[in-house]
Amino acid sequence: MCSGRVMVTEKLLKGIVNFRNGDFETHRQLFEELKDNQKPHTLFITCSDSRIDPNMITGTLPGELFIVRNVANIVPPCRETSEYVSTTSAIEYAVQMLGVENIIVCGHSNCGGCSASLNAPEKLDQLPHTKKWLELMESVRERVLSEFAEDEPTVREWMMEQINVVEQLRHLMTYPYIYEKVMAKELMLSGWHYMIETGEVFIYDYRAGEFRLANGSRA
């Protein structure tokens, strides 16, 4: 077991050497320009899932995306609190300080958080903090369980992932500073559903009320 950890550590160390001699050198001027400030155009809220790479999916470079990651790409509704709030503070900083022009909430296929939400709550008793966090998806869970048949688990998971994205867009609009910027057309909100196994990205169409494929094959 120890040798396995050593191999992983060696891989990571080799990776930072390759980065310094490869990608960093390729984009040296960009990194020099970024050393003192950042001006990202988009706040990208997505899942902590290791299979999601926002920059790879969007073809963006360092400095373009301000990225927030958490279990199941959740946005807590706006509220007054004295607690330590990571996601809320990151959203506030991106919009109020950095002046991003876009906010994207990106869910994905085979989302463990969405899947766990569909299970009986007691199954998460050994993960109390995760269980508490997923309470923010309770309204999505109730809707999916009531509208989609129990004998169609794949459909339930798919809809849980997509409806959850739409719910988080609604949560974003509870922040007064976001609402004001959206209404003034200074900020655009978008909901994405990324398919890990195909590379497809479905984007929520507000008018149609459904997700539509945005990057179909050109073959």
Side-chain angles (χ1 to χ4, degrees):
M1 184 66 70
C2 183
S3 63
R5 288 198 295 269
V6 170
M7 289 177 63
V8 170
T9 301
E10 290 178 348
K11 179 178 180 180
L12 296 176
L13 290 174
K14 182 179 179 181
I16 63 175
V17 171
N18 290 340
F19 163 72
R20 180 64 181 79
N21 296 327
D23 288 341
F24 178 82
E25 286 300 325
T26 300
H27 300 291
R28 175 181 282 275
Q29 182 176 348
L30 171 63
F31 285 110
E32 289 179 352
E33 293 171 354
L34 291 172
K35 74 181 189 309
D36 293 324
N37 58 69
Q38 61 171 320
K39 188 61 179 173
H41 51 70
T42 298
L43 166 59
F44 198 93
I45 302 172
T46 193
C47 188
S48 299
D49 195 295
S50 63
R51 298 165 294 179
I52 312 302
D53 188 323
N55 292 107
M56 182 179 288
I57 294 171
T58 60
T60 49
L61 293 171
E64 293 191 73
L65 303 180
F66 192 84
I67 301 171
V68 174
R69 307 186 69 150
N70 60 48
V71 175
N73 41 268
I74 291 173
V75 175
C78 183
R79 70 203 188 284
E80 292 294 330
T81 178
S82 59
E83 299 174 2
Y84 301 106
V85 283
S86 175
T87 296
T88 302
S89 64
I91 292 170
E92 178 183 74
Y93 188 80
V95 177
Q96 298 285 68
M97 182 62 69
L98 298 178
V100 295
E101 301 170 1
N102 308 284
I103 301 179
I104 294 170
V105 177
C106 181
H108 66 95
S109 62
N110 193 234
C111 178
C114 288
S115 178
S117 292
L118 291 171
N119 295 326
E122 56 268 21
K123 289 192 175 182
L124 288 174
D125 285 346
Q126 299 303 310
L127 301 170
H129 297 294
T130 303
K131 181 178 180 179
K132 182 64 178 178
W133 179 250
L134 294 181
E135 286 180 5
L136 290 167
M137 301 170 65
E138 185 60 28
S139 63
V140 178
R141 175 181 185 272
E142 291 177 355
R143 177 179 170 185
V144 170
L145 293 180
S146 65
E147 293 184 11
F148 302 96
E150 184 176 358
D151 60 357
E152 295 183 300
T154 301
V155 173
R156 276 187 167 183
E157 286 193 17
W158 175 281
M159 296 312 300
M160 186 75 193
E161 293 157 3
Q162 292 197 344
I163 295 173
N164 179 54
V165 168
V166 178
E167 182 67 12
Q168 306 321 310
L169 294 174
R170 293 195 184 101
H171 288 181
L172 283 169
M173 290 294 282
T174 66
Y175 292 75
Y177 56 87
I178 290 179
Y179 179 84
E180 291 172 6
K181 286 180 177 289
V182 170
M183 291 298 101
K185 299 185 188 254
E186 297 173 357
L187 181 65
M188 180 179 296
L189 308 187
S190 184
W192 293 11
H193 186 218
Y194 167 61
M195 302 300 293
I196 294 172
E197 62 273 33
T198 65
E200 295 172 317
V201 175
F202 293 80
I203 298 180
Y204 186 66
D205 184 323
Y206 285 90
R207 292 185 178 180
E210 63 183 27
F211 284 80
R212 293 185 172 175
L213 182 61
N215 62 340
S217 173
R218 295 174 182 266

